[in-house]
Amino acid sequence: MTTDTIDGAPGSAPHKSGSPASDAARWKWRRSEGGVLNAFSHVFLAVWALMVGLPLLWALWSSFKSSGDILSHPLSLPTHLHFENWSHAWTKANMGQYFINTIIVVGFSTVGTMLFGSMAAYVLARFEFPGNRLIYFLFVGGMAFPVVMVLVPLFFVTTNLGIINTLPGLILVYIAYSLPFTVFFMTSFFRTLPTSVAEAALVDGASHTRTFFQIMVPMAKPGIISIGIFNVLGQWNQYLLPLVLNQGDTDKWVLTQGLADLAVQQGYQGDWGGLFAGLSIAMLPVLAVYIVFQRQVQAGLTAGALK
Amino acid sequence: MRHGKYRFIIGFLAIPLALYGVLVISPFVQDFQISLTDWTGLTPDKHYIGFDNYRKIIHNHLFWQSLWHNVLLLLIVPVVTLALGLFFAFMLNVGGRRKGSASVAGVRGSGAYKIIFFFPQVLSVAVIAILWQQIYNPDPEEGVLNVVLHGIGLGSQTQSWLGDPKLALACIMAVMVWANVGFYVVLFSAGMSSIPTEIYEASLLDGANRTTTFFRVTLPLLSDTVATGWVYMGIIAMDAFAYVQLMSVNNGGPNEKTDVVPLLLFKTAFRDNSQYGLAAAMGVAMLLVTLVFAVLTLRLSRRERIEF
């Protein structure tokens, strides 16, 4: 802020470079619009930041209030910290179990997606063989059609395979539906890597498999991290697929399902504190990870769109 | 060596292809087949009834209404989201002023803004929808939005939000915009920061103000990124399943005023007497709409690429 005021004062801020003409133009531009625009920008940006941040904070502080307080004084800060909301949500509403299920499913399916996606992408990017293009377009074509379209047949395919309402089944489905974008992204990534290192390894007698795992995968690490973040978030946030393919035993539900159920139940039971605790349980871990790794997360999620 | 190469290729492709073939491609093909049957899933036998399901859809008022809601989402949500994203990104990257010679600069704290704006992007749609359902709570004494309106002297504007057939869809759209703007702020910021500052300097030497600069310099140079963003937002708007299912009154209510095709498909298949054939036909219709959208987008966005 201080530099702003100094900068704005007439006669200050000597310019180090640039021709006098361009300096004058800049100076004029900044004088006429800079100050106004700066204040204007800050107002809009701050308003949006509050619109984004406050609802999340509100959910968090409501999770420490009694249900009565949430209804009668929805905006007030908690007078007593009702930690029992959290323990109720974790145990009675089963959010703890859902949390663990989600970690299991997302953990295995992300690893599987990255492994199988990179393997397929590597072969498609680096080897000439009949059908290469066809297989590539088969994978990439999957990005274009809506998942909701295949809900009915997918329900029966998983039923017939006996993997419906099971966590391994959910893992396999998540992997399969994450492959199109992963293969697309990793194929173009492997194409950008230099061929000489892999060739040298082959000449030295390494097998193709060994070359892939010991040379190519480490070289492709930036791409793998980007697309890995993309998949972790996508699979963590998945709602439609578990809703249809994991309707059975509540012990196998994932967080989003449990949360949706909690939102419906709370209407009957009036446990609003529990609902907000449940929301916070689903919200805080991702937000915490995001705040720590925000650079990588932003890069990872936007990398796909910039390709 | 040659032999080894093919064994390697097959070995590496077998599992991914098998998974993808069984769980993605085969359901995709089966969907067309099921859409031609009267299958209810209760009995293994299905009868081919030709295009009867499609005829039913064409005469189904609810289907057209849901499709119309999808089209509204497709027209409004991406435009508002991308416009706000561009506006904020421009503010963050060009809206500020800096000491010394940097004539084009972002506002102070732009990094912090980008972090906060991005929050909803990492949250589950389920979390966002349930949170906003609570905010929209219709009770003027209990709903947060209504309490806030009272607080700032707009008590007369309190509504039952999601319970009002005229407002419900707009309320859901607002949440979709809220949830997605941050992503585009970051995406467009990345695009804007790769535009060389000389271009800005030249334009301001020529006497352009910031509005002109935005429309004549920034926007044309970002057109590729904007087009990609449009497709992403289009896909989100075509879906909208979780938002509507979790937020709306009675799953698509009130009076079906928020129903969208994916939700209608879900209800037809898994709620209303398991009409799988009919639901599958809706899936095919969805695919057609998506393809039309994709082709139109590609057509409209095809233009000469500007290299810089």
Side-chain angles (χ1 to χ4, degrees):
Chain A
M1 266 305 151
T2 40
T3 34
D4 253 18
T5 12
I6 293 164
D7 190 28
S12 72
H15 298 296
K16 289 188 198 104
S17 64
S19 68
S22 80
D23 273 359
R26 271 181 212 142
W27 189 233
K28 202 174 126 216
W29 198 32
R30 283 198 289 156
R31 279 262 287 255
S32 59
E33 291 185 70
V36 183
L37 200 86
N38 205 17
F40 179 78
S41 309
H42 273 298
V43 169
F44 277 97
L45 292 168
V47 166
W48 191 262
L50 289 176
M51 278 176 67
V52 169
L54 284 181
L56 305 181
L57 276 177
W58 172 72
L60 184 62
W61 86 58
S62 295
S63 74
F64 292 109
K65 286 159 73 170
S66 69
S67 296
D69 261 3
I70 291 171
L71 289 184
S72 49
H73 311 289
L75 288 179
S76 68
L77 288 167
T79 41
H80 293 78
L81 294 180
H82 291 262
F83 286 107
E84 74 272 12
N85 288 338
W86 284 66
S87 58
H88 280 184
W90 188 262
T91 52
K92 274 197 198 155
N94 230 355
M95 291 299 278
Q97 178 72 50
Y98 304 151
F99 195 87
I100 293 162
N101 290 346
T102 310
I103 287 181
I104 292 171
V105 172
V106 173
F108 278 102
S109 54
T110 306
V111 170
T113 306
M114 297 319 299
L115 178 68
F116 296 135
S118 305
M119 278 162 56
Y122 178 65
V123 169
L124 293 170
R126 286 300 181 88
F127 292 87
E128 289 285 335
F129 59 94
N132 181 318
R133 299 272 68 187
L134 177 75
I135 294 172
Y136 176 75
F137 283 117
L138 215 54
F139 273 121
V140 172
M143 289 195 298
F145 73 86
V147 178
V148 67
M149 181 194 160
V150 293
L151 279 187
V152 173
L154 185 61
F155 180 79
F156 289 101
V157 167
T158 49
T159 307
N160 292 336
L161 290 174
I163 56 170
I164 196 153
N165 301 334
T166 66
L167 295 187
L170 215 50
I171 292 168
L172 291 179
V173 172
Y174 279 12
I175 295 174
Y177 282 85
S178 307
L179 280 178
F181 193 74
T182 309
V183 169
F184 168 73
F185 187 92
M186 289 309 295
T187 305
S188 53
F189 200 86
F190 278 123
R191 285 210 185 104
T192 63
L193 296 180
T195 52
S196 50
V197 185
E199 276 159 12
L202 283 172
V203 170
D204 285 350
S207 67
H208 284 296
T209 315
R210 197 183 151 134
T211 311
F212 173 75
F213 283 108
Q214 295 198 332
I215 313 248
M216 296 314 287
V217 169
M219 274 168 80
K221 218 165 146 193
I224 291 177
I225 290 173
S226 286
I227 193 75
I229 289 170
F230 182 89
N231 283 322
V232 168
L233 281 172
Q235 292 169 354
W236 180 275
N237 292 336
Q238 187 53 250
Y239 176 63
L240 182 60
L241 286 173
L243 188 67
V244 174
L245 302 177
N246 194 22
Q247 313 177 32
D249 199 352
T250 54
D251 276 355
K252 293 185 183 130
W253 280 5
V254 294
L255 264 181
T256 46
Q257 282 175 288
L259 201 56
D261 189 57
L262 200 58
V264 175
Q265 270 184 24
Q266 135 290 114
Y268 305 115
Q269 301 173 351
D271 184 10
W272 302 87
L275 176 68
F276 283 103
L279 270 174
S280 306
I281 289 172
M283 194 167 79
L284 285 181
V286 235
L287 277 184
V289 172
Y290 165 61
I291 289 170
V292 174
F293 296 104
Q294 39 93 10
R295 233 170 255 285
Q296 289 87 331
V297 174
Q298 288 189 356
L301 283 185
T302 49
L306 287 173
K307 268 268 157 189
Chain B
M1 191 70 194
R2 247 185 102 76
H3 179 65
K5 178 187 146 187
Y6 278 102
R7 221 173 51 189
F8 170 74
I9 290 171
I10 293 166
F12 260 39
L13 278 178
I15 299 176
L17 259 185
L19 267 178
Y20 189 67
V22 171
L23 292 171
V24 181
I25 296 177
S26 98
F28 180 77
V29 176
Q30 284 179 45
D31 198 66
F32 293 95
Q33 191 201 349
I34 296 172
S35 76
L36 301 175
T37 69
D38 63 354
W39 195 27
T40 57
L42 299 171
T43 49
D45 50 292
K46 32 187 159 187
H47 307 285
Y48 283 90
I49 52 168
F51 290 93
D52 267 13
N53 286 324
Y54 293 93
R55 243 169 254 134
K56 263 193 208 159
I57 290 179
I58 289 173
H59 296 294
N60 185 343
H61 164 69
L62 200 52
F63 175 80
W64 287 107
Q65 190 178 334
S66 306
L67 187 61
W68 172 240
H69 295 150
N70 272 121
V71 172
L72 278 180
L73 288 167
L74 202 55
L75 292 176
I76 298 170
V77 175
V79 172
V80 178
T81 309
L82 296 182
L84 278 174
L86 276 170
F87 176 72
F88 290 133
F90 192 69
M91 295 279 159
L92 287 175
N93 292 287
V94 194
R97 48 190 180 148
R98 286 282 155 84
K99 60 181 174 190
S101 62
S103 54
V104 178
V107 294
R108 210 164 294 282
S110 64
Y113 282 126
K114 271 186 238 172
I115 296 174
I116 296 172
F117 286 9
F118 205 76
F119 277 168
Q121 199 59 42
V122 297
L123 296 179
S124 155
V125 175
V127 168
I128 292 171
I130 293 169
L131 174 60
W132 276 91
Q133 189 197 29
Q134 300 307 314
I135 294 174
Y136 280 135
N137 186 329
D139 194 310
E141 307 298 324
E142 297 172 359
V144 177
L145 188 55
N146 284 339
V147 169
V148 170
L149 284 174
H150 265 295
I152 56 174
L154 290 170
S156 59
Q157 297 299 311
T158 53
Q159 308 281 352
S160 73
W161 306 111
L162 295 168
D164 185 334
K166 287 201 200 76
L167 275 176
L169 190 63
C171 289
I172 291 173
M173 286 189 197
V175 176
M176 293 174 75
V177 171
W178 180 87
N180 287 293
V181 164
F183 176 82
Y184 294 99
V185 171
V186 171
L187 183 69
F188 294 147
S189 291
M192 283 178 193
S193 63
S194 71
I195 297 175
T197 46
E198 291 83 46
I199 301 184
Y200 284 115
E201 312 231 325
S203 83
L204 71 97
L205 260 186
D206 290 344
N209 63 23
R210 290 186 199 220
T211 321
T212 322
T213 316
F214 175 75
F215 285 104
R216 293 293 175 81
V217 179
T218 312
L219 201 52
L221 290 177
L222 273 184
S223 63
D224 269 356
T225 318
V226 176
T228 318
W230 180 269
V231 174
Y232 272 46
M233 269 322 288
I235 293 168
I236 291 171
M238 264 326 278
D239 185 353
F241 173 87
Y243 290 103
V244 177
Q245 201 241 359
L246 288 168
M247 288 173 76
S248 68
V249 190
N250 295 330
N251 272 335
N255 306 334
E256 264 75 47
K257 286 295 183 205
T258 57
D259 217 343
V260 287
V261 177
L263 181 59
L264 189 65
L265 188 160
F266 176 80
K267 289 189 288 189
T268 309
F270 301 105
R271 296 278 179 275
D272 310 334
N273 308 319
S274 314
Q275 303 176 64
Y276 293 122
L278 191 61
M282 288 178 184
V284 176
M286 270 289 288
L287 177 72
L288 285 180
V289 176
T290 312
L291 284 181
V292 169
F293 167 75
V295 170
L296 279 180
T297 308
L298 289 178
R299 268 284 155 85
L300 292 175
S301 66
R302 187 182 301 157
R303 46 180 290 165
E304 234 170 281
R305 217 191 156 100
I306 304 162
E307 299 284 344
F308 56 86

